Amino acid sequence: SALKRPSKAISDFNRAIEINPESIEAYTNRAITYRFIKSYRRLCLDLQTMKKLGAQQVDDWIKEYCK
């Protein structure tokens, strides 16, 4: 699972985003991984990108992690 090998997961999600920069799913998965490793600045950047791409229900996470 992604949370057992977070650096590998992030690398995989980075590659997915390179291939499809509008993949909300890839940003979501990477954001979850950033949250797991407590990389809140990067998490916040992904949340903001997800919102710009039209992701639903990210506002609560943005309020919590993008201070």
Side-chain angles (χ1 to χ4, degrees), residues 27-40:
Y27 281 104
T28 300
N29 288 327
R30 190 171 71 175
I32 290 167
T33 307
Y34 284 147
R35 181 174 176 244
F36 177 75
I37 64 170
K38 298 178 172 52
S39 183
Y40 299 120

Side-chain angles (χ1 to χ4, degrees), residues 3 6 10 13 27-47 60-62 64-65:
L3 302 183
I10 289 168
F13 299 137
Y27 281 104
T28 300
N29 288 327
R30 190 171 71 175
I32 290 167
T33 307
Y34 284 147
R35 181 174 176 244
F36 177 75
I37 64 170
K38 298 178 172 52
S39 183
Y40 299 120
R41 184 183 61 80
R42 290 182 175 133
L43 165 61
C44 182
L45 292 172
D46 277 1
L47 293 172
D60 287 342
W61 276 40
I62 288 173
E64 184 171 349
Y65 294 104

